[in-house]
Amino acid sequence: MTIPYPDATPVGIVIATRNRCATLAEALSHLVALPERPRILVADNASTDDTRVMLARDFPQVQVLALPFNHGALARNHGARALDTPYVAFSDDDSWWAPGALTRAARLFEEHPRLGLIAARTFVGPTADPDPLNEVLAASPLGRAADLPGTQVLGFLACASVVRRSAYLDAGGFHRLLFFGGEETLLAYDMAARGWGVTHCPDVVAHHHPAPSARNGRPVVQRRNELLTAWLRRPVPYALARTGALAAEARHDDHARQALRGTLARLPAALRARKPLPPHVERAARLLEGAAA
């Protein structure tokens, strides 16, 4: 069943969460106060804490999609399908949007029909420090396209992104194999491969308040997913070289060993789902890597 949206608010918000009741409550307190009054959907990944009780008690205006088990990043896919707003902004349970950001994003989508995803400018923590990713995105060597706003990129922060819903679903959303952690690059690849623009627009602003320390296992999962992304979309020699480099590092680094084991366990599924990038997107990916190096 789809959820209708007010005519004046063409952007809905999807939040994927699991067992983060307190931080989710803070994020929602900011989101429900936005002047745009967006439709908000929380895709709950089978939380076992008080998340659903808190939502029913404190935020009855928020739609809850109660998933029967943990879908990871795919919870965003389920949320986007449940909304019928033409544009979907993603938040995490520790992030929210600045007032006016969603209005600006909707205007950019309406003015640029090929625009599929906006990577916002992000400010971090109570002191609103600029996220270092802002500079990386702004300096992207892919530059500008005549029919798109901002700077073309092939990466973004999921909790600071807004998508054209039809483009997001056309690209398949976040990929099942990656589950969670570093899942953004593959989605950017897939949207660009289907002709959708992916750009950094610094006048769309998000706020992110992550925990001081990384979640357990996150570095391992991110490295695993980087390598799986290579096998899913990049040329075989490239993926082999990346695998060899990780294997060499695994001889003396436990995180690398865990990432390699996780990759090898999922490699058959990655090969079955393999779909190399079209040449122009592969060239763009190599250009970005060369600039980073």
Side-chain angles (χ1 to χ4, degrees):
M1 182 179 68
T2 57
I3 303 163
Y5 65 91
D7 291 340
T9 311
V11 184
I13 296 175
V14 169
I15 304 174
T17 190
R18 176 174 168 81
N19 290 340
R20 302 254 292 170
C21 179
T23 57
L24 175 62
E26 181 182 4
L28 286 172
S29 69
H30 291 275
L31 293 171
V32 299
L34 289 174
E36 293 96 332
R37 294 291 187 266
R39 176 74 64 180
I40 302 171
L41 182 146
V42 172
D44 179 47
N45 274 317
S47 290
T48 56
D49 64 1
D50 292 333
T51 290
R52 296 185 188 179
V53 173
M54 178 275 293
L55 288 169
R57 181 189 66 230
D58 299 337
F59 299 97
Q61 72 273 49
V62 170
Q63 178 75 21
V64 179
L65 184 61
L67 299 171
F69 58 90
N70 185 2
H71 289 255
L74 266 72
R76 301 187 189 114
N77 298 356
H78 294 296
R81 291 190 189 101
L83 288 174
D84 69 349
T85 52
Y87 317 118
V88 176
F90 293 117
S91 289
D92 281 352
D93 45 29
D94 56 6
S95 72
W96 51 86
W97 293 93
L102 302 184
T103 297
R104 178 58 181 157
R107 187 173 299 119
L108 290 171
F109 282 119
E110 289 159 3
E111 292 173 352
H112 302 87
R114 192 168 70 86
L115 180 60
L117 184 148
I118 293 171
R121 181 162 51 117
T122 310
F123 293 101
V124 180
T127 55
D129 299 318
D131 191 308
L133 183 61
N134 295 339
E135 290 189 10
V136 175
L137 297 175
S140 167
L142 302 183
R144 293 176 171 265
D147 62 338
L148 294 172
T151 304
Q152 296 179 97
V153 295
L154 285 177
F156 61 96
L157 186 64
C159 70
S161 63
V162 193
V163 298
R164 186 184 301 273
R165 179 175 176 270
S166 59
Y168 175 78
L169 297 178
D170 176 55
F174 289 102
H175 201 283
R176 180 179 303 276
L177 186 62
L178 303 190
F179 189 71
F180 203 82
E183 68 273 16
E184 295 93 342
T185 298
L186 182 55
L187 177 60
Y189 283 170
D190 288 348
M191 294 187 78
R194 298 187 70 85
W196 294 106
V198 179
T199 70
H200 172 56
C201 299
D203 49 348
V204 178
V205 173
H207 293 273
H208 189 202
H209 285 229
S213 58
R215 298 186 192 184
N216 289 339
R218 177 61 65 88
V220 170
V221 170
Q222 287 180 323
R223 298 191 70 181
R224 179 199 75 192
N225 286 347
E226 287 173 4
L227 188 51
L228 286 171
T229 297
W231 280 108
L232 283 162
R233 298 292 182 263
R234 306 298 297 277
V236 169
Y238 175 91
L240 283 170
R242 293 291 300 269
T243 304
L246 185 62
E249 192 175 346
R251 296 170 187 163
H252 55 80
D253 183 270
D254 184 57
H255 282 176
R257 280 193 295 274
Q258 293 179 56
L260 183 62
R261 285 197 297 267
T263 301
L264 295 177
R266 293 162 178 80
L267 188 56
L271 294 175
R272 289 193 297 271
R274 179 174 166 76
K275 189 175 182 180
L277 296 174
H280 72 283
V281 182
E282 175 61 28
R283 288 193 297 270
R286 289 187 177 272
L287 181 61
L288 284 166
E289 289 165 351

Coordinates of all heavy atoms in Angstrom, one line a residue, residues 179-258:
F179 N 24.3 -5.6 1.7 CA 23.6 -5.5 3.0 C 23.7 -4.1 3.7 O 22.7 -3.4 3.7 CB 24.0 -6.6 4.0 CG 23.1 -6.7 5.2 CD1 21.9 -7.2 5.1 CD2 23.6 -6.3 6.4 CE1 21.0 -7.3 6.2 CE2 22.8 -6.4 7.6 CZ 21.5 -6.9 7.4
F180 N 24.9 -3.8 4.1 CA 25.0 -2.5 4.8 C 26.5 -2.1 4.9 O 27.3 -3.0 5.1 CB 24.4 -2.5 6.2 CG 24.0 -1.1 6.7 CD1 22.8 -0.5 6.3 CD2 24.9 -0.4 7.5 CE1 22.5 0.7 6.8 CE2 24.5 0.8 8.0 CZ 23.3 1.4 7.6
G181 N 26.9 -0.9 4.7 CA 28.3 -0.4 4.9 C 28.9 -0.2 3.6 O 29.3 -1.1 2.8
G182 N 29.1 1.1 3.2 CA 29.8 1.4 1.9 C 29.0 1.0 0.7 O 29.5 0.7 -0.4
E183 N 27.6 1.0 0.9 CA 26.8 0.6 -0.2 C 26.5 1.7 -1.2 O 25.9 1.5 -2.3 CB 25.4 0.1 0.4 CG 24.6 1.2 1.1 CD 24.9 1.5 2.5 OE1 26.0 1.1 3.0 OE2 24.0 2.1 3.2
E184 N 26.9 2.9 -1.0 CA 26.6 4.1 -1.8 C 27.2 4.0 -3.2 O 26.6 4.4 -4.2 CB 27.0 5.4 -1.1 CG 26.2 5.7 0.2 CD 26.9 5.2 1.4 OE1 27.8 4.3 1.3 OE2 26.6 5.6 2.5
T185 N 28.5 3.6 -3.3 CA 29.2 3.7 -4.6 C 28.5 2.8 -5.6 O 28.3 3.2 -6.8 CB 30.6 3.2 -4.4 OG1 31.3 4.1 -3.5 CG2 31.4 3.2 -5.7
L186 N 28.0 1.6 -5.2 CA 27.4 0.7 -6.2 C 26.1 1.3 -6.7 O 25.8 1.3 -7.9 CB 27.1 -0.6 -5.5 CG 26.5 -1.7 -6.4 CD1 27.3 -1.9 -7.7 CD2 26.3 -3.0 -5.7
L187 N 25.3 2.0 -5.8 CA 24.1 2.6 -6.3 C 24.4 3.8 -7.2 O 23.8 4.0 -8.3 CB 23.3 3.2 -5.1 CG 22.0 3.9 -5.5 CD1 21.1 3.1 -6.3 CD2 21.3 4.5 -4.2
A188 N 25.5 4.6 -6.9 CA 25.8 5.7 -7.8 C 26.3 5.1 -9.2 O 25.9 5.7 -10.2 CB 27.0 6.5 -7.2
Y189 N 27.0 4.0 -9.2 CA 27.4 3.4 -10.5 C 26.1 3.0 -11.3 O 26.0 3.2 -12.5 CB 28.2 2.1 -10.2 CG 29.6 2.3 -9.8 CD1 30.4 1.2 -9.3 CD2 30.3 3.5 -9.9 CE1 31.7 1.3 -9.0 CE2 31.6 3.6 -9.5 CZ 32.3 2.5 -9.1 OH 33.6 2.6 -8.7
D190 N 25.2 2.3 -10.6 CA 24.0 1.8 -11.3 C 23.1 2.9 -11.8 O 22.5 2.8 -12.9 CB 23.3 0.8 -10.3 CG 24.0 -0.5 -10.1 OD1 25.0 -0.7 -10.9 OD2 23.6 -1.2 -9.2
M191 N 23.0 4.0 -11.1 CA 22.2 5.1 -11.5 C 22.9 5.7 -12.8 O 22.2 6.0 -13.8 CB 21.9 6.1 -10.4 CG 21.1 5.5 -9.3 SD 20.6 6.8 -8.0 CE 19.3 7.6 -8.9
A192 N 24.2 6.0 -12.7 CA 24.9 6.6 -13.8 C 24.8 5.7 -15.0 O 24.7 6.1 -16.2 CB 26.3 6.9 -13.4
A193 N 24.9 4.4 -14.8 CA 24.9 3.4 -15.9 C 23.6 3.4 -16.7 O 23.5 3.2 -17.8 CB 25.2 2.0 -15.4
R194 N 22.5 3.8 -16.0 CA 21.2 3.9 -16.6 C 20.9 5.3 -17.1 O 19.7 5.6 -17.4 CB 20.1 3.4 -15.6 CG 20.3 1.9 -15.2 CD 19.2 1.4 -14.4 NE 18.0 1.2 -15.2 CZ 17.7 0.2 -16.0 NH1 18.6 -0.8 -16.1 NH2 16.6 0.1 -16.6
G195 N 21.9 6.2 -17.0 CA 21.7 7.5 -17.6 C 21.3 8.6 -16.6 O 21.1 9.7 -17.0
W196 N 21.1 8.3 -15.4 CA 20.7 9.3 -14.4 C 21.9 10.1 -13.9 O 23.0 9.5 -13.7 CB 20.0 8.6 -13.2 CG 18.7 7.9 -13.6 CD1 18.5 6.6 -13.7 CD2 17.5 8.6 -13.9 NE1 17.2 6.4 -14.1 CE2 16.5 7.6 -14.2 CE3 17.1 9.9 -14.0 CZ2 15.2 7.9 -14.6 CZ3 15.8 10.2 -14.3 CH2 14.9 9.2 -14.6
G197 N 21.7 11.4 -13.6 CA 22.7 12.2 -13.1 C 22.8 12.1 -11.6 O 21.8 12.0 -10.9
V198 N 24.1 12.0 -11.1 CA 24.4 11.9 -9.7 C 25.3 13.1 -9.4 O 26.4 13.2 -9.9 CB 25.0 10.6 -9.3 CG1 25.4 10.5 -7.8 CG2 24.2 9.4 -9.7
T199 N 24.8 14.0 -8.6 CA 25.6 15.3 -8.4 C 25.6 15.7 -6.9 O 24.7 15.4 -6.2 CB 25.0 16.4 -9.2 OG1 23.7 16.8 -8.7 CG2 24.8 16.0 -10.7
H200 N 26.6 16.5 -6.6 CA 26.8 17.1 -5.3 C 26.2 18.5 -5.4 O 26.7 19.3 -6.2 CB 28.2 17.2 -4.9 CG 28.5 18.0 -3.7 ND1 27.9 17.7 -2.5 CD2 29.3 19.0 -3.5 CE1 28.3 18.6 -1.6 NE2 29.2 19.4 -2.1
C201 N 25.2 18.8 -4.6 CA 24.6 20.2 -4.6 C 24.7 20.8 -3.2 O 23.9 20.4 -2.3 CB 23.1 20.1 -5.0 SG 22.9 19.4 -6.7
P202 N 25.7 21.6 -3.0 CA 26.0 22.1 -1.6 C 24.9 23.0 -1.0 O 24.9 23.2 0.2 CB 27.3 22.9 -1.8 CG 27.4 23.2 -3.3 CD 26.7 22.1 -4.0
D203 N 23.9 23.5 -1.8 CA 22.9 24.3 -1.3 C 21.8 23.4 -0.7 O 20.8 23.9 -0.1 CB 22.3 25.3 -2.3 CG 22.0 24.7 -3.6 OD1 22.4 23.5 -3.9 OD2 21.4 25.3 -4.4
V204 N 21.9 22.1 -0.8 CA 21.0 21.1 -0.1 C 21.8 20.6 1.1 O 22.9 20.0 1.0 CB 20.6 20.0 -1.0 CG1 19.7 19.0 -0.2 CG2 19.8 20.5 -2.2
V205 N 21.3 20.9 2.3 CA 22.1 20.7 3.6 C 21.5 19.7 4.5 O 20.3 19.7 4.7 CB 22.3 22.0 4.3 CG1 23.0 21.8 5.6 CG2 23.0 23.0 3.4
A206 N 22.3 18.8 5.0 CA 21.9 17.8 6.0 C 22.8 17.9 7.2 O 24.0 18.4 7.1 CB 22.0 16.4 5.4
H207 N 22.3 17.4 8.3 CA 23.1 17.4 9.6 C 23.2 15.9 10.0 O 22.2 15.1 10.0 CB 22.4 18.2 10.7 CG 22.4 19.6 10.4 ND1 23.4 20.5 10.8 CD2 21.4 20.4 9.8 CE1 23.1 21.7 10.4 NE2 21.9 21.7 9.8
H208 N 24.4 15.5 10.5 CA 24.7 14.2 10.9 C 25.4 14.2 12.3 O 26.3 14.9 12.5 CB 25.7 13.5 9.8 CG 25.9 12.1 10.0 ND1 27.0 11.4 9.5 CD2 25.1 11.1 10.7 CE1 26.9 10.1 9.8 NE2 25.8 9.9 10.5
H209 N 24.8 13.4 13.2 CA 25.4 13.3 14.5 C 25.7 11.9 14.9 O 25.1 11.2 15.7 CB 24.3 13.9 15.5 CG 24.2 15.4 15.5 ND1 24.2 16.1 16.7 CD2 24.1 16.2 14.5 CE1 24.1 17.4 16.4 NE2 24.0 17.5 15.1
P210 N 26.8 11.4 14.2 CA 27.2 10.0 14.5 C 27.7 9.8 15.9 O 28.2 10.8 16.5 CB 28.2 9.7 13.4 CG 28.8 11.1 13.2 CD 27.7 12.1 13.3
A211 N 27.7 8.6 16.3 CA 28.4 8.2 17.6 C 29.9 8.5 17.5 O 30.4 8.4 16.4 CB 28.1 6.8 18.0
P212 N 30.5 8.8 18.6 CA 31.9 9.2 18.6 C 32.8 8.0 18.1 O 33.8 8.3 17.4 CB 32.3 9.5 20.1 CG 31.0 9.8 20.7 CD 29.9 9.0 20.0
S213 N 32.4 6.8 18.3 CA 33.2 5.7 17.8 C 32.4 4.9 16.8 O 31.2 4.9 16.8 CB 33.6 4.7 19.0 OG 32.4 4.3 19.6
A214 N 33.2 4.3 15.8 CA 32.5 3.6 14.8 C 31.8 2.3 15.3 O 32.2 1.8 16.3 CB 33.5 3.1 13.7
R215 N 30.7 1.9 14.6 CA 30.0 0.7 15.1 C 30.9 -0.5 14.9 O 31.7 -0.5 14.0 CB 28.7 0.6 14.2 CG 27.8 1.7 14.4 CD 26.4 1.4 13.7 NE 25.6 2.6 13.7 CZ 24.4 2.7 13.2 NH1 23.8 1.5 12.7 NH2 23.7 3.8 13.2
N216 N 30.7 -1.5 15.7 CA 31.6 -2.7 15.7 C 31.5 -3.3 14.3 O 30.4 -3.6 13.7 CB 31.1 -3.7 16.7 CG 31.4 -3.2 18.1 OD1 32.3 -2.4 18.3 ND2 30.7 -3.8 19.1
G217 N 32.7 -3.6 13.8 CA 32.7 -4.3 12.5 C 32.6 -3.5 11.2 O 32.7 -4.0 10.1
R218 N 32.3 -2.2 11.4 CA 32.0 -1.4 10.2 C 33.3 -1.3 9.3 O 33.1 -1.5 8.0 CB 31.6 0.0 10.6 CG 31.4 1.0 9.5 CD 30.3 0.5 8.6 NE 29.0 0.5 9.2 CZ 28.2 1.5 9.2 NH1 28.5 2.7 8.7 NH2 27.0 1.4 9.8
P219 N 34.5 -1.1 9.7 CA 35.6 -1.0 8.8 C 35.8 -2.3 8.0 O 36.1 -2.3 6.8 CB 36.8 -0.8 9.7 CG 36.3 -0.2 10.9 CD 34.9 -0.8 11.1
V220 N 35.6 -3.5 8.6 CA 35.7 -4.7 7.9 C 34.6 -4.8 6.8 O 34.9 -5.2 5.6 CB 35.6 -5.9 8.8 CG1 35.4 -7.3 8.1 CG2 36.8 -6.0 9.8
V221 N 33.4 -4.5 7.1 CA 32.3 -4.6 6.2 C 32.5 -3.6 5.0 O 32.2 -4.0 3.9 CB 30.9 -4.3 6.9 CG1 29.8 -4.1 5.9 CG2 30.6 -5.4 7.9
Q222 N 33.0 -2.4 5.3 CA 33.2 -1.5 4.2 C 34.3 -2.0 3.3 O 34.1 -1.8 2.0 CB 33.6 -0.1 4.8 CG 32.4 0.6 5.5 CD 32.8 1.9 6.1 OE1 33.9 2.1 6.6 NE2 31.9 2.9 6.0
R223 N 35.3 -2.6 3.8 CA 36.4 -3.1 2.9 C 35.8 -4.3 2.1 O 36.1 -4.4 0.9 CB 37.6 -3.5 3.7 CG 38.2 -2.3 4.4 CD 39.6 -2.6 5.0 NE 40.5 -2.8 3.9 CZ 41.8 -3.1 4.1 NH1 42.2 -3.3 5.4 NH2 42.6 -3.3 3.2
R224 N 35.1 -5.1 2.7 CA 34.4 -6.2 2.0 C 33.6 -5.7 0.9 O 33.6 -6.2 -0.3 CB 33.6 -7.1 3.0 CG 32.9 -8.3 2.4 CD 31.7 -8.7 3.2 NE 30.6 -7.8 3.2 CZ 29.6 -7.9 4.0 NH1 29.6 -8.7 5.0 NH2 28.6 -7.0 3.9
N225 N 32.8 -4.7 1.2 CA 31.8 -4.2 0.2 C 32.5 -3.5 -1.0 O 32.0 -3.5 -2.1 CB 30.7 -3.4 0.8 CG 29.7 -4.2 1.6 OD1 29.7 -5.5 1.4 ND2 28.9 -3.6 2.4
E226 N 33.6 -2.8 -0.7 CA 34.4 -2.2 -1.7 C 34.9 -3.2 -2.7 O 34.8 -3.0 -4.0 CB 35.6 -1.5 -1.1 CG 35.3 -0.2 -0.4 CD 36.5 0.4 0.3 OE1 37.6 -0.2 0.1 OE2 36.3 1.4 1.0
L227 N 35.3 -4.4 -2.2 CA 35.8 -5.4 -3.1 C 34.7 -6.1 -3.8 O 34.8 -6.4 -5.0 CB 36.6 -6.4 -2.3 CG 37.4 -7.5 -3.1 CD1 38.2 -6.9 -4.3 CD2 38.3 -8.3 -2.2
L228 N 33.6 -6.3 -3.2 CA 32.4 -6.9 -3.8 C 31.9 -6.0 -4.9 O 31.5 -6.5 -6.0 CB 31.3 -7.2 -2.8 CG 31.5 -8.4 -1.9 CD1 30.5 -8.4 -0.8 CD2 31.5 -9.7 -2.7
T229 N 31.9 -4.7 -4.7 CA 31.5 -3.7 -5.7 C 32.4 -3.9 -7.0 O 31.9 -3.8 -8.1 CB 31.5 -2.3 -5.2 OG1 30.6 -2.2 -4.1 CG2 31.2 -1.3 -6.2
A230 N 33.7 -4.1 -6.7 CA 34.6 -4.2 -7.9 C 34.2 -5.5 -8.7 O 34.2 -5.4 -9.9 CB 36.0 -4.3 -7.4
W231 N 33.9 -6.6 -8.0 CA 33.5 -7.8 -8.7 C 32.2 -7.7 -9.4 O 31.9 -8.3 -10.4 CB 33.5 -9.0 -7.8 CG 34.9 -9.5 -7.5 CD1 35.7 -9.4 -6.4 CD2 35.7 -10.3 -8.5 NE1 36.9 -10.0 -6.6 CE2 36.9 -10.6 -7.8 CE3 35.5 -10.7 -9.8 CZ2 38.0 -11.3 -8.5 CZ3 36.5 -11.4 -10.4 CH2 37.7 -11.7 -9.8
L232 N 31.3 -6.9 -8.8 CA 30.0 -6.7 -9.4 C 30.0 -5.9 -10.6 O 29.2 -6.1 -11.6 CB 29.0 -6.1 -8.4 CG 28.5 -7.1 -7.3 CD1 28.0 -6.2 -6.1 CD2 27.4 -8.0 -7.8
R233 N 30.9 -4.8 -10.7 CA 30.7 -3.9 -11.8 C 32.0 -3.5 -12.5 O 31.9 -3.0 -13.6 CB 30.1 -2.6 -11.2 CG 28.8 -2.7 -10.6 CD 27.7 -3.0 -11.7 NE 26.4 -3.0 -11.1 CZ 25.7 -4.2 -10.8 NH1 26.4 -5.3 -11.0 NH2 24.5 -4.2 -10.3
R234 N 33.2 -3.8 -12.0 CA 34.4 -3.3 -12.6 C 35.0 -4.4 -13.4 O 34.7 -5.6 -13.3 CB 35.4 -2.8 -11.5 CG 34.8 -1.8 -10.6 CD 34.4 -0.5 -11.3 NE 35.5 0.2 -11.9 CZ 36.4 1.0 -11.2 NH1 36.2 1.3 -10.0 NH2 37.4 1.6 -11.9
P235 N 36.0 -4.1 -14.3 CA 36.6 -5.1 -15.1 C 37.3 -6.2 -14.3 O 37.8 -5.9 -13.2 CB 37.7 -4.3 -15.9 CG 37.1 -2.9 -16.0 CD 36.4 -2.7 -14.6
V236 N 37.3 -7.4 -14.8 CA 37.9 -8.5 -14.1 C 39.4 -8.3 -13.7 O 39.7 -8.5 -12.5 CB 37.8 -9.8 -14.9 CG1 38.6 -10.9 -14.3 CG2 36.3 -10.2 -15.0
P237 N 40.2 -7.7 -14.6 CA 41.6 -7.5 -14.1 C 41.7 -6.5 -12.9 O 42.5 -6.7 -12.0 CB 42.3 -6.9 -15.4 CG 41.5 -7.4 -16.5 CD 40.1 -7.5 -16.0
Y238 N 40.8 -5.5 -12.9 CA 40.8 -4.6 -11.8 C 40.4 -5.3 -10.5 O 41.0 -5.1 -9.5 CB 39.8 -3.5 -12.2 CG 39.5 -2.5 -11.0 CD1 40.3 -1.3 -10.9 CD2 38.6 -2.7 -10.1 CE1 40.1 -0.4 -9.9 CE2 38.3 -1.8 -9.0 CZ 39.1 -0.7 -9.0 OH 38.9 0.2 -7.9
A239 N 39.3 -6.1 -10.6 CA 38.8 -6.8 -9.4 C 39.9 -7.8 -8.9 O 40.1 -8.0 -7.7 CB 37.5 -7.5 -9.7
L240 N 40.5 -8.5 -9.8 CA 41.6 -9.4 -9.4 C 42.7 -8.7 -8.7 O 43.3 -9.2 -7.7 CB 42.1 -10.1 -10.7 CG 41.3 -11.3 -11.2 CD1 41.8 -11.7 -12.6 CD2 41.2 -12.4 -10.2
A241 N 43.1 -7.5 -9.3 CA 44.2 -6.8 -8.6 C 43.8 -6.3 -7.2 O 44.6 -6.4 -6.3 CB 44.6 -5.6 -9.5
R242 N 42.6 -5.8 -7.1 CA 42.1 -5.4 -5.7 C 42.0 -6.6 -4.8 O 42.4 -6.5 -3.6 CB 40.7 -4.8 -5.9 CG 40.7 -3.5 -6.6 CD 41.4 -2.3 -5.8 NE 40.8 -2.1 -4.5 CZ 39.8 -1.2 -4.3 NH1 39.3 -0.5 -5.3 NH2 39.3 -1.0 -3.1
T243 N 41.7 -7.8 -5.3 CA 41.6 -9.0 -4.4 C 43.0 -9.4 -4.0 O 43.3 -9.7 -2.8 CB 40.9 -10.1 -5.2 OG1 39.6 -9.7 -5.6 CG2 40.8 -11.3 -4.3
G244 N 44.0 -9.3 -4.9 CA 45.3 -9.7 -4.6 C 45.9 -8.7 -3.6 O 46.7 -9.1 -2.7
A245 N 45.6 -7.4 -3.7 CA 46.1 -6.5 -2.7 C 45.6 -6.7 -1.3 O 46.3 -6.7 -0.3 CB 45.8 -5.0 -3.2
L246 N 44.3 -7.1 -1.3 CA 43.7 -7.4 0.0 C 44.2 -8.7 0.6 O 44.5 -8.7 1.8 CB 42.1 -7.4 -0.1 CG 41.4 -7.6 1.2 CD1 41.6 -6.4 2.2 CD2 39.9 -7.8 1.0
A247 N 44.5 -9.6 -0.3 CA 45.0 -10.9 0.2 C 46.4 -10.7 0.8 O 46.8 -11.3 1.8 CB 45.1 -11.9 -0.9
A248 N 47.2 -9.9 0.1 CA 48.6 -9.6 0.6 C 48.5 -8.9 2.0 O 49.3 -9.2 2.9 CB 49.3 -8.7 -0.4
E249 N 47.6 -8.0 2.1 CA 47.4 -7.3 3.4 C 46.9 -8.2 4.5 O 47.2 -8.1 5.7 CB 46.5 -6.1 3.2 CG 46.5 -5.1 4.4 CD 45.6 -3.9 4.1 OE1 45.2 -3.7 3.0 OE2 45.3 -3.2 5.1
A250 N 46.1 -9.2 4.1 CA 45.5 -10.1 5.1 C 46.6 -11.0 5.8 O 46.3 -11.5 6.8 CB 44.5 -11.0 4.4
R251 N 47.8 -11.1 5.2 CA 48.8 -11.9 5.9 C 49.2 -11.3 7.2 O 49.7 -12.1 8.1 CB 50.0 -11.9 5.0 CG 49.8 -12.7 3.6 CD 51.0 -12.5 2.7 NE 50.7 -13.0 1.4 CZ 51.4 -12.7 0.3 NH1 52.4 -11.9 0.4 NH2 51.1 -13.3 -0.9
H252 N 49.0 -10.0 7.4 CA 49.5 -9.4 8.7 C 48.4 -8.5 9.3 O 48.7 -7.8 10.3 CB 50.7 -8.6 8.4 CG 50.6 -7.6 7.3 ND1 50.0 -6.3 7.5 CD2 51.0 -7.6 6.0 CE1 50.0 -5.7 6.4 NE2 50.6 -6.4 5.5
D253 N 47.2 -8.5 8.7 CA 46.2 -7.6 9.3 C 44.9 -8.4 9.5 O 44.3 -8.9 8.5 CB 45.9 -6.4 8.3 CG 44.9 -5.4 8.9 OD1 43.7 -5.6 8.6 OD2 45.4 -4.5 9.6
D254 N 44.3 -8.4 10.7 CA 43.1 -9.2 11.0 C 41.9 -8.6 10.3 O 41.1 -9.4 9.8 CB 42.9 -9.3 12.5 CG 41.7 -10.2 12.8 OD1 41.8 -11.3 12.4 OD2 40.8 -9.7 13.5
H255 N 41.8 -7.3 10.2 CA 40.6 -6.7 9.5 C 40.6 -7.1 8.1 O 39.6 -7.4 7.5 CB 40.6 -5.2 9.7 CG 40.2 -4.7 11.0 ND1 40.2 -3.4 11.4 CD2 39.7 -5.4 12.1 CE1 39.7 -3.3 12.6 NE2 39.4 -4.5 13.1
A256 N 41.8 -7.1 7.4 CA 41.9 -7.5 6.0 C 41.5 -8.9 5.9 O 40.8 -9.3 4.9 CB 43.3 -7.2 5.5
R257 N 41.9 -9.8 6.8 CA 41.6 -11.2 6.7 C 40.1 -11.4 6.8 O 39.5 -12.2 6.0 CB 42.3 -12.0 7.8 CG 43.7 -12.3 7.6 CD 44.2 -13.4 8.5 NE 44.3 -12.9 9.9 CZ 45.3 -12.2 10.4 NH1 46.3 -11.9 9.7 NH2 45.2 -11.7 11.7
Q258 N 39.4 -10.7 7.7 CA 38.0 -10.8 7.8 C 37.3 -10.3 6.6 O 36.3 -10.9 6.1 CB 37.5 -10.0 9.1 CG 38.0 -10.6 10.4 CD 37.5 -9.7 11.5 OE1 36.3 -9.5 11.7 NE2 38.4 -9.3 12.4

